[in-house]
Amino acid sequence: MNSHSTADDSTIPAATSWLTLGVSRLEHSVAGQMQPGHLYSLVTELPSIRYPLLNNTISEAIRAGVPCTIIEAARPEHYLEQLCTPPKFDLNDALDRRMLNVYCMQSEFQKKMFQVGVGPMLEELDRFGVEYGSLVLFDHASSLLNLYDLNLATQQLDAIGEWGERNGLTVIMVFSQLHGSKWVTPRALLDSMSGMATLSESSDGLAIGFPYWQFNGGVASGVSFRIELNAEGDYEVTSWKRTPRDAEGPYPETNGMVLPANPTIENQVVNIREFETRNSPRPSPTPGVFRNLKARRSEFDDFL
């Protein structure tokens, strides 16, 4: 995006951190690097295999000083137990310092979402104080979108993407357990995203794929890697395939295509519009759709 020069540079928020998907030996020059202000998705048919990747992604963000917000379903204690195995960060400390914030979908969430819409939902998150430049993870993302209507789902996803862009957020939408032939698939929404990663399993083991991914070096398309869990509980790239196109190029071996970046396109997200948005008054109250885990901390003392 092009930055504006109508305000003194010292008044504009500093550029936020680039984050990466938590896969060891995944070359950042190919895929996995996430640009602030952009929206990405993670798609997996088997929900449990997402935890090691998300665990490492969040822990790396916290180590880099980037606050994280997780939007989760109604059982946060179970989710956090799965997410933090093995432990990569101090959960109590992260919650106390607000480096990790967990908001839970209230009962009848989808009905309330239909009533209030995605706009008021994002205003509610603003009132909770999602920090500029943070990582925001929408787990169970299919609950946020009307996946029976492509046009409506696109509008909803675009609104979330614009919200993330205004606030310099790195947004990850996690899709899992997608069933039903009438549903809109995440791939149909790819035009509203900066990238999509897929986690899959087969008789050959696990793989991470990038049907499309924008990154600092350009665009990756159809790139995939074989992965496995290492001794530290992290996913690690173990192998990939080489094609004639990539044989002599600067990129690692892939079975897809990598296009170089357009040097005329700036990667800076921060601009005067985001600065004005960040310093504008908080939106007016709207019907709530989330529960704040921190506010209900006593209910989880046994777990925490």
Side-chain angles (χ1 to χ4, degrees), residues 40 43 48 125 149-150 161 208 303:
Y40 303 87
V43 182
S48 59
L125 289 175
D149 185 328
L150 176 59
I208 185 168
F303 167 66

Side-chain angles (χ1 to χ4, degrees), residues 50-71:
R50 75 192 190 280
Y51 287 116
L53 185 148
L54 297 180
N55 186 359
N56 209 29
T57 300
I58 292 170
S59 62
E60 287 184 358
I62 291 176
R63 284 197 297 270
V66 176
C68 303
T69 294
I70 299 174
I71 314 300

Side-chain angles (χ1 to χ4, degrees), residues 18 28-30 33 214-219 251 258-262 267:
W18 287 68
H28 300 166
S29 61
V30 174
Q33 190 178 61
Q214 296 180 13
F215 60 99
N216 195 30
V219 175
Y251 301 106
V258 179
L259 302 177
N262 184 338
N267 288 318

Side-chain angles (χ1 to χ4, degrees), residues 29-213:
S29 61
V30 174
Q33 190 178 61
M34 297 180 289
Q35 183 174 344
H38 288 237
L39 182 148
Y40 303 87
S41 67
L42 174 67
V43 182
T44 175
E45 292 184 359
L46 185 63
S48 59
I49 63 176
R50 75 192 190 280
Y51 287 116
L53 185 148
L54 297 180
N55 186 359
N56 209 29
T57 300
I58 292 170
S59 62
E60 287 184 358
I62 291 176
R63 284 197 297 270
V66 176
C68 303
T69 294
I70 299 174
I71 314 300
E72 175 50 24
R75 294 186 61 198
E77 67 279 17
H78 174 73
Y79 176 83
L80 290 174
E81 183 176 18
Q82 295 283 86
L83 179 69
C84 298
T85 304
K88 295 296 183 68
F89 57 90
D90 187 323
L91 181 59
N92 279 321
D93 179 68
L95 288 169
D96 288 339
R97 294 191 297 118
R98 295 190 60 82
M99 290 299 293
L100 179 66
N101 301 282
V102 182
Y103 302 119
C104 313
M105 300 175 185
Q106 292 184 2
S107 59
E108 298 184 327
F109 177 82
Q110 289 182 309
K111 178 181 178 181
K112 293 178 180 179
M113 278 294 300
F114 177 79
Q115 293 172 338
V116 305
V118 70
M121 178 205 76
L122 297 174
E123 291 176 358
E124 183 176 351
L125 289 175
D126 282 335
R127 293 200 308 278
F128 278 127
V130 176
E131 188 171 336
Y132 184 92
S134 58
L135 170 67
V136 178
L137 176 67
F138 288 96
D139 206 55
H140 300 284
S142 57
S143 298
L144 301 173
L145 307 176
N146 187 328
L147 294 182
Y148 290 95
D149 185 328
L150 176 59
N151 289 333
L152 181 55
T154 299
Q155 293 173 15
Q156 293 170 326
L157 195 59
D158 285 343
I160 295 172
E162 291 169 2
W163 170 74
E165 182 181 346
R166 288 194 304 271
N167 294 286
L169 307 174
T170 302
V171 180
I172 304 177
M173 310 288 289
V174 181
F175 296 91
S176 59
Q177 294 179 307
L178 292 176
H179 302 293
S181 59
K182 295 182 180 179
W183 280 35
V184 174
T185 66
R187 283 177 182 262
L189 301 170
L190 198 49
D191 282 348
S192 298
M193 309 174 192
S194 292
M196 173 182 291
T198 61
L199 278 177
S200 59
E201 65 166 357
S202 68
S203 58
D204 296 328
L206 297 175
I208 185 168
F210 298 91
Y212 177 78
W213 195 272

